[in-house]
Amino acid sequence: MRVRLSLIISGLVLVLVLFMVVLRISKPENPFPLSVEAVEKALEKHNLQWEIGESKSFSDGNTNYEVLNESGKITTHIDSSLANNEKGELGGTASARRFLEVMLVPPPTYESKLTSSIEEEQWPTVFSLACSLYGGSRNSKKVFRQFTEDTKNERYEPKGRKIVWEKKISGVYYLVSFRPSEKHYGRFDLLSIKLMNDVCYKDYLAMTKRFEEKQVISNEEKQRVIPN
């Protein structure tokens, strides 16, 4: 009897531990859209002496923050959304579109007094910041390692095309854009890091498809010869 009771208690403890682990992994660390406090906490966690400048909101479920570096120059824009429809309205979170973008300021070809770019040595920190803001900081090293592995053979071409790396890791879609630098030969500029859930990704694909279809129609109209 004691053995059976001991086994039952052990089983319950194991179930509870597993439940807590799953809950810890699946539960977002930050409510969306992101608050000023959440962004400031993430910046402090990564030892970044940055501060929030101008802030905007394009809908009830959206926040957009301009982030300044130690010199007061614009370095990134952090955009977060949680919405149940394309208008950005939020009526619940069960099937909401969860989206985050950390948009980097590309290096200008001249010295700018207003903006400052991110060097390649800072990319791991920016990846970690994005993951932390979205709610998956424990995956940041795994994500960056996968990114570097998948893109290590990308060749530098002056004035080359924008490159987009896309991957689903631990239930989150990552879309990272970068391109050959116009200022630093042989290097690349990080443009943006997007993170989104399944619902948002489906909308992203549909929107991309509609955009491509419009582009095709527009090109066909330009090439069409109109008779006199």
Side-chain angles (χ1 to χ4, degrees), residues 127-211:
F127 269 76
S128 181
L129 174 64
C131 290
S132 179
L133 288 170
Y134 188 84
S137 58
R138 289 173 295 277
N139 290 327
S140 63
K141 291 183 179 180
K142 178 180 179 181
V143 173
F144 187 72
R145 184 167 58 249
Q146 188 68 60
F147 167 77
T148 53
E149 177 65 25
D150 292 347
T151 60
K152 64 183 180 182
N153 293 324
E154 292 290 346
R155 298 180 62 183
Y156 176 87
E157 296 179 6
K159 297 183 179 181
R161 60 181 176 81
K162 179 177 74 173
I163 304 164
V164 180
W165 175 78
E166 182 178 320
K167 202 83 172 183
K168 184 178 183 182
I169 299 175
S170 300
V172 178
Y173 285 94
Y174 296 84
L175 285 82
V176 180
S177 303
F178 62 106
R179 72 181 181 197
S181 176
E182 295 182 10
K183 186 176 182 180
H184 303 293
Y185 185 84
R187 310 196 77 176
F188 290 87
D189 296 334
L190 185 61
L191 302 179
S192 76
I193 302 175
K194 296 185 180 76
L195 294 84
M196 61 190 80
N197 61 4
D198 288 324
V199 180
C200 186
Y201 183 70
K202 289 179 182 178
D203 287 348
Y204 167 79
L205 291 180
M207 180 181 67
T208 302
K209 183 178 180 181
R210 289 196 298 269
F211 175 78

Side-chain angles (χ1 to χ4, degrees), residues 16 34-35 43 74 87 104 116 121 124 126 133 147 171 176 184-185 206 208 210:
L16 180 61
L34 293 170
S35 65
L43 294 175
I74 302 171
K87 295 181 180 180
L104 290 305
S116 179
E121 290 77 14
V126 177
L133 288 170
F147 167 77
V176 180
H184 303 293
Y185 185 84
T208 302
R210 289 196 298 269

Side-chain angles (χ1 to χ4, degrees), residues 79-94:
D79 186 88
S80 64
S81 300
L82 184 69
N84 282 342
N85 55 45
E86 293 180 355
K87 295 181 180 180
E89 298 172 349
L90 182 60
T93 59

